[in-house]
Amino acid sequence: MTPLAIVAWSDTARLLAGAGLGLIVGSFLATIVSRWPRGGSVVTGRSRCDGCDRVLGPLDLVPLLSWLMARGRCRSCGTRIDPVHPLVELGAALIGALCAWLFPPATALFMAVGGWILLTLAVMDARHFWLPDALTLPLAALGLTLGDWILPASFMDRALGAGLGAGALFLLALGYRRLRGREGLGLGDAKLLGAIGGWLGWQALPFVLLVASVTALLWVAALRLAGRELNATTRVPLGTFLCIAAVPAWLLTGLLLF
């Protein structure tokens, strides 16, 4: 085998390993997204069909493949399987493969964990307008602790990013409530931006807010074009767009390592 072939095989193996790990993690993340908002446990209890309550067997739980083989429906009753399962599994696989391709193993795992948490938060906010502290706070803690050995931004820049990110949206939410007499931003959004700042540093925050705002406006415009009625009380999942905006900034800052 030539040196070039060895390198190509090594890259392929890393991609497959990252994607495979992502599929496994994605299956668990999809369970979090589907069970947690309903008050269900994500660590106990057998997986069941939402339609007939049949306990799912091993063949029903193979990430992505089981959904494809069943054509997106329960094999017993034909109930449509919640599409969050294949979508989150596929998204987690792509994150794992991309990180494995771009970074050395230890850095790849660290970056993938951050990406997987962002993916979960994005879907949770889009579906339920909920950004649980049990996800945002560990995300911030990872950036402010283990990030010292991996992330390019200095600890001071990341600490400032966490404080400024959370503080800016908190003050904005407080000001909106005083002026309009109702909630406009949730504290979850402030904590999420603080967590993102804890990974990327304060310098990235304007870019993240700009991309999130533009993406949100495009989404609202698409809804209007689709005939959706919108008004001043229409809820927009800002956390989802913050997670989306963090990805290009996350990749750019991560690539500075190499």
Side-chain angles (χ1 to χ4, degrees):
M1 185 177 291
T2 66
L4 185 59
I6 293 175
V7 171
W9 169 247
S10 176
D11 288 343
T12 301
R14 288 171 58 184
L15 281 170
L16 291 175
L21 179 59
L23 283 173
I24 296 170
V25 172
S27 180
F28 176 68
L29 298 181
T31 301
I32 290 177
V33 171
S34 61
R35 288 189 188 179
W36 210 355
R38 297 182 300 188
S41 172
V42 298
V43 294
T44 61
R46 299 288 300 276
S47 296
R48 298 174 179 271
C49 171
D50 293 331
C52 61
D53 204 37
R54 176 179 66 89
V55 175
L56 303 183
L59 293 179
D60 300 304
L61 299 174
V62 180
L64 198 59
L65 184 60
S66 293
W67 181 82
L68 290 171
M69 292 179 63
R71 297 183 180 180
R73 295 188 177 275
C74 173
R75 293 187 294 110
S76 297
C77 67
T79 298
R80 180 171 175 263
I81 298 171
D82 190 339
V84 75
H85 292 280
L87 290 176
V88 171
E89 289 167 1
L90 180 60
L94 291 174
I95 290 170
L98 184 62
C99 290
W101 180 50
L102 291 174
F103 309 115
T107 302
L109 181 60
F110 178 81
M111 302 295 273
V113 169
W116 291 329
I117 295 176
L118 285 175
L119 172 65
T120 309
L121 287 167
V123 178
M124 291 276 278
D125 201 37
R127 286 169 63 98
H128 306 289
F129 296 98
W130 185 36
L131 297 168
D133 289 350
L135 292 176
T136 53
L137 297 184
L139 179 65
L142 279 174
L144 292 172
T145 55
L146 298 181
D148 280 346
W149 288 273
I150 296 175
L151 298 171
S154 69
F155 173 77
M156 185 58 68
D157 286 342
R158 286 181 285 112
L160 284 172
L164 291 174
L169 285 193
F170 173 76
L171 291 176
L172 184 60
L174 185 62
Y176 185 93
R177 185 170 59 185
R178 283 182 175 274
L179 288 173
R180 304 297 297 272
R182 64 172 184 266
E183 296 291 340
L185 285 173
L187 292 182
D189 297 314
K191 295 171 186 176
L192 174 58
L193 186 60
I196 293 171
W199 275 65
L200 305 181
W202 64 270
Q203 298 91 336
L205 294 179
F207 175 78
V208 171
L209 286 171
L210 175 63
V211 174
S213 300
V214 171
T215 308
L217 288 173
L218 291 174
W219 179 76
V220 170
L223 291 179
R224 290 294 299 271
L225 289 175
R228 173 81 173 271
E229 291 292 333
L230 302 175
N231 53 52
T233 61
T234 300
R235 301 180 70 183
V236 175
L238 178 61
T240 299
F241 301 113
L242 288 173
C243 292
I244 293 172
V247 173
W250 163 62
L251 290 175
L252 289 174
T253 53
L255 287 173
L256 292 176
L257 284 167
F258 311 103

